[in-house]
Every structure is written in structure tokens, then in C-alpha cells.
């Protein structure tokens, strides 16, 4: 692996995909522009807003601060990978039922982050949810409804 | 972002030898480096991916110390049973920094090497001696709310942004480094430097040096420690002032103390004289106040951060009182 484009494989939402891209392509740009998965959003592009949150090998991360080439052999889960066919994921249902968004731009990142949060076992109280979701900003200010959606979904996973 | 070449280091020796060349940067978590590259503050010619090197273990050593591999994530350190059980101060400090997503990516080694978040360091339209030596410091007469009150120089008033390092300073951790001359151990107090006339150097490391681990001494101070972080938001913000304190008590008396400040200087701020001022004293606010006065001797603020001196004084007293009550778990 050297200078020019690199060839590697990433499993995205259960499907192994092959890529050949320059080393400066971020995982976020790879997902959106090379893999055609535009559900993951680019907000600040500096790791401050959390809109780009996906799960890599089960852990929530900021895809805007990761080089795609470094994810060789890893498993990535994006918002597109959560629903089972037409059956929405419990977090997706929770966000709809609790009106946990207005513009919706931060929502894919919020949901992927919430999935990581629940798996980490940190969704057991409102205070803990608020603290451990602090890496996801919502400029519409839907925070209280986001907390309610996560509280509802945590028992359904 | 400037274009760059990329390769993966397969062995520690590969990494050290590659890292010694000009324009080469190691990349692991990348949370700070990629950000700085997007801002064109960092413009490496080549990145060497060190994430597949065997530096990902937390292990107890024969002498009772705990070794944290340089590639262990901040989240994994904070949640590790041996860290939670024996070094709760470190766990608390780590969990007060960044966000869960960043902590999953950021590593022990990268946390030690993260650059200041001084807004002028990031802003290519302004002068900065740290970014471009001998150009001047825009922060001195600029918006300096987040800046240093101790140990600053004419050239630079930036602060080191880490929470982890403040806890490591109080715990007297050691940094293991592999360089071209072999492996060496650096006490955390000597690892970061004050800006002086060369603010471009944050640490004493030189080209090719690779952090392999951080060692925590066996004295874990687990009974009476606290990390207090004061910031502009309740979560996910850098410290205005933070305090790491560890006490060893005998009833109402302090046998031994460790005290370090974050958010106030170019490195975690620790003075032996302030710790000696607590030795043999009662666990009372007046004892803590005397230690605070000693630790803050010579503090000098700027237009927007003078409040930090009184804030630090009060934070030290509160953190010591909390620690004396017993570590919160």
C-alpha cells in the first residue's frame, strides 16, 4: 500500500464492498460519494457535531475524522443498515413517535450514536443519556424528545 | 487538505524508521491530526498508519504498575476494570473529555500528543508562533478566554487541552517511547514542555519517536481522588480550569498529596511545593487554600481570562474537599 490510490475492502451494512480510493478520502466521503449511502450526513466535518456518526466494528465513531483506507477489513453500520426490510429499527420508530427531530439533518447520526450508547449500557437514566449523547448536536433543539425516544427504544433492543 | 502518501507500518521498527523522515506523521485515532490537516495547519507529506502495531493491551506488570498500550482507545482505558478499580481519577478525567464517539477513536498516545485548541493556532489568517515560528502571537491581545495563566511566554500563551494528561500528572505516570536509539521512559512531568522561545515544540519527543505505552505506578491513590472540570458547557467542552487531586489520609490528616491543574498552562501544572504544603495538614478548606496559593504563585492572566486565577483557587479547594470525602465511583 503506497502513494497513489489504495485498494481495500469494507463490509458496509453486511455487504462486503471493494474500493480503490486516494488516501485522503474520509470514511464519510467514501460512504456518501463512492458507496452511494447519503444517509450519513456531513455537518461540521470536524468531529464537533456528530452528524456523521456511524458504527465501525460495533462502536460509534465520527466518520468525518477517519481515513477510509484505514478501515480495511472492518464492518461499518450506517443508518441505511438499521431497518430490517420494511420494519423500522426501534430507534427509528422511537424518533418518529416522540417527534425527536425537526429538520432531520442530525437524525441519522443521533440514531447511530444512540445505538452505540445503548450497547455500551449507558442509556439507563436521563442524566446518563444526556451526558453520553453530548457528541451529537441538534440545532433544532429536539433534545428532550431525543432522550424520550432513546428511553423508549432501549428496552426493545 | 493537502494530498499525501500513505502506508501502513507492519512493525515497530518500520514505524520508527519511517517516522524519522521529514514530513512524516504517524496516524492512529486521527481525531486531532485529520482535523488539523483539513484546516491546513498540519500538512504532512506522508502518513504512516500505526494502528495495526501490537500496542493495544492494558496489562499489569511485575512491579505492580499498570501498562496502557499507546493504541488503547480513551474509551477502553476509561472503562477498563483495572483502571476503574485502581485509578478512578484517570477514568473520571477521560470521561470528562471529548465525546463518546471521539473517545472510541482517540488513543492513549494521541491524547498525549494532541495540539492546543487555541483558535489562532487553527486560523491561518492570523499569526501564531506555534504554527509558524517567529511570526508573533495573536492570542496575547486577542480573545484569550481559553488561554494560559501560568508558565506562558512572550511567544505563546496556549494551553494543553488534555484531561487525561492532568490525571497522569497527578498519578506520576511514565511514558514509554521507542526511538532510533532504543526504548526509554520519560516521567510525565518532563514529557510536555513550557513554550519559552520554541512554542512549536509541545513535547520533548523528536522525529521518529513512537510512544508505545503509558505506565501507571502501583500507588493508585484510589481511595481519595477527584477530577473537577470547569467549562462553558456541562459536557463536551474543553476545560477553563480542571483539577486532578489525590490524597492519602490518616483520619483527618493528609499524609501525602498530589495536585495538578489543567486548562491553565502549556502542560499540566504541578508543583511539589504545593503538595508539600498539604502534607501533615488537616483536611480543611484553609489547608486547601494554602496549597492553592502556592500552586498559583506567579499566575498572570490576560484581558479575557483573568477570572481563571480565582476560579482555579476555588476549584482546587472544592476538588480537595471532594477527594477527602472519598472517591466518587
Amino acid at each position: 500500500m503506497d502513494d497513489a490510490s489504495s485498494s481495500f475492502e469494507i463490509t458496509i451494512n453486511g455487504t462486503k464492498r471493494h474500493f480503490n480510493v486516494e488516501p485522503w478520502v474520509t470514511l464519510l466521503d467514501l460512504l456518501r460519494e463512492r458507496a452511494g449511502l447519503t444517509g450519513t450526513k456531513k455537518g461540521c466535518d470536524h468531529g464537533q457535531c456528530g452528524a456523521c456518526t456511524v458504527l465501525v466494528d460495533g462502536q460509534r465513531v465520527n466518520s468525518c475524522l477517519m481515513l477510509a483506507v484505514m478501515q480495511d477489513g472492518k464492518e461499518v453500520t450506517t443508518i441505511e443498515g438499521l431497518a430490517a426490510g420494511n420494519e423500522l429499527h426501534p430507534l427509528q420508530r422511537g424518533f418518529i413517535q416522540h417527534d425527536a427531530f425537526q429538520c432531520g439533518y442530525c437524525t441519522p447520526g443521533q440514531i447511530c450514536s444512540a445505538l452505540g450508547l445503548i450497547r455500551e449500557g449507558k442509556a439507563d437514566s436521563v442524566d446518563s443519556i444526556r451526558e453520553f449523547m453530548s457528541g451529537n448536536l441538534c440545532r433544532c433543539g429536539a433534545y428532550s424528545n431525543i432522550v424520550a425516544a432513546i428511553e423508549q427504544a432501549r428496552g426493545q433492543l | 487538505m493537502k494530498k499525501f502518501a500513505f502506508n501502513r507500518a507492519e512493525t515497530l521498527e518500520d514505524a520508527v524508521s519511517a517516522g524519522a523522515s521529514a514530513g512524516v506523521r504517524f496516524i492512529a485515532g486521527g481525531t486531532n491530526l485529520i482535523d488539523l490537516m483539513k484546516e491546513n495547519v498540519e500538512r504532512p507529506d506522508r502518513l504512516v498508519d500505526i494502528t495495526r502495531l501490537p500496542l493495544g493491551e492494558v496489562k499489569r506488570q511485575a512491579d505492580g504498575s499498570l501498562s496502557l498500550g499507546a493504541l488503547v482507545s480513551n474509551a477502553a482505558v476509561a472503562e477498563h476494570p483495572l483502571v476503574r478499580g485502581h485509578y478512578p481519577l484517570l477514568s473520571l478525567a477521560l470521561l470528562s473529555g471529548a465525546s463518546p464517539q471521539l473517545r472510541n477513536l482517540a488513543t492513549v498516545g494521541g491524547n498525549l500528543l494532541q495540539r492546543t485548541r487555541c483558535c489562532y493556532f487553527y486560523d491561518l489568517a492570523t499569526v501564531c508562533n506555534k504554527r509558524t515560528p517567529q511570526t508573533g502571537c495573536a492570542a496575547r491581545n486577542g480573545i484569550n478566554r481559553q488561554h494560559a495563566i501560568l508558565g506562558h511566554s512572550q511567544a505563546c500563551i496556549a494551553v494543553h487541552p488534555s484531561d487525561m494528561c492532568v490525571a497522569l500528572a497527578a498519578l506520576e505516570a511514565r511514558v514509554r517511547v521507542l526511538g532510533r536509539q532504543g526504548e526509554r521512559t520519560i516521567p510525565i512531568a518532563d514529557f510536555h514542555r513550557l513554550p519559552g522561545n520554541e512554542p512549536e515544540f509541545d513535547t520533548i519527543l523528536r522525529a521518529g519517536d513512537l510512544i508505545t505505552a503509558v505506565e501507571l505506578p502501583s500507588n493508585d491513590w484510589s481511595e481519595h481522588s477527584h477530577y473537577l472540570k470547569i467549562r462553558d458547557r456541562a459536557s463536551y467542552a474543553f476545560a477553563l480550569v480542571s483539577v486532578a487531586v489525590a490524597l492519602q489520609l490518616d483520619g483527618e490528616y493528609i499524609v501525602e498529596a498530589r495536585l495538578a491543574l489543567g486548562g491553565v498552562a502549556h502542560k499540566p501544572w504541578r508543583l511539589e511545593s504545593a503538595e508539600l504544603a498539604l502534607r501533615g495538614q488537616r483536611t480543611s478548606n484553609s489547608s486547601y487554600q494554602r496549597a492553592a496559593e502556592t500552586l498559583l504563585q506567579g499566575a498572570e492572566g490576560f484581558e479575557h481570562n483573568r477570572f481563571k486565577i480565582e476560579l482555579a483557587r476555588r476549584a482546587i479547594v472544592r476538588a480537595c474537599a471532594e477527594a477527602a470525602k472519598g472517591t466518587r465511583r
Side-chain angles (χ1 to χ4, degrees), chain B residues 140-172:
Chain B
R140 236 187 139 73
N141 295 308
I143 304 299
N144 41 38
R145 179 177 171 80
Q146 296 284 342
H147 291 72
I149 54 171
L150 287 159
H152 45 66
S153 69
Q154 202 59 39
C156 182
I157 64 169
V159 298
H160 194 263
S162 170
D163 292 295
M164 180 188 86
C165 294
V166 184
L168 293 185
L171 293 168
E172 298 181 302

Side-chain angles (χ1 to χ4, degrees), chain B residues 35-53:
Chain B
D35 189 28
L36 289 165
M37 287 167 65
K38 286 183 179 186
E39 298 283 6
N40 278 313
V41 175
E42 289 274 5
R43 298 168 57 81
D45 298 318
R46 172 179 292 273
L47 291 185
V48 175
D49 174 2
I50 59 167
T51 55
R52 314 277 165 137
L53 298 178

Side-chain angles (χ1 to χ4, degrees), chain A residues 16-87:
Chain A
K16 192 178 271 190
R17 309 227 356 211
H18 183 262
F19 298 97
N20 190 33
V21 302
E22 302 84 358
W24 48 87
V25 174
T26 62
L27 176 60
L28 173 61
D29 288 342
L30 179 106
L31 290 170
R32 290 182 55 83
E33 293 170 18
R34 316 282 176 124
L37 296 169
T38 53
T40 307
K41 297 294 184 262
K42 183 182 280 194
C44 69
D45 207 25
H46 289 280
Q48 297 178 8
C49 76
C52 69
T53 302
V54 298
L55 296 119
V56 174
D57 289 347
Q59 294 201 306
R60 50 179 165 155
V61 290
N62 302 100
S63 62
C64 74
L65 294 180
M66 305 170 79
L67 298 180
V69 63
M70 290 174 67
Q71 313 314 312
D72 186 15
K74 298 195 175 176
E75 294 195 12
V76 177
T77 304
T78 70
I79 189 70
E80 289 93 340
L82 295 193
N86 287 326
E87 178 83 12

Side-chain angles (χ1 to χ4, degrees), chain B residues 268-322:
Chain B
W269 193 256
R270 189 181 155 217
L271 288 182
E272 203 186 352
S273 52
E275 295 166 359
L276 289 175
L278 285 170
R279 190 185 279 175
Q281 302 300 306
R282 238 176 219 290
T283 53
S284 68
N285 280 1
S286 56
S287 305
Y288 309 145
Q289 271 154 7
R290 278 196 299 276
E293 292 307 327
T294 307
L295 190 55
L296 292 166
Q297 242 165 40
E300 185 195 352
F302 299 88
E303 185 181 355
H304 300 284
N305 75 349
R306 289 195 183 97
F307 71 95
K308 276 192 178 187
I309 300 172
E310 180 60 22
L311 183 65
R313 193 175 285 132
R314 296 182 190 188
I316 291 166
V317 171
R318 190 173 132 202
C320 289
E322 284 292 324

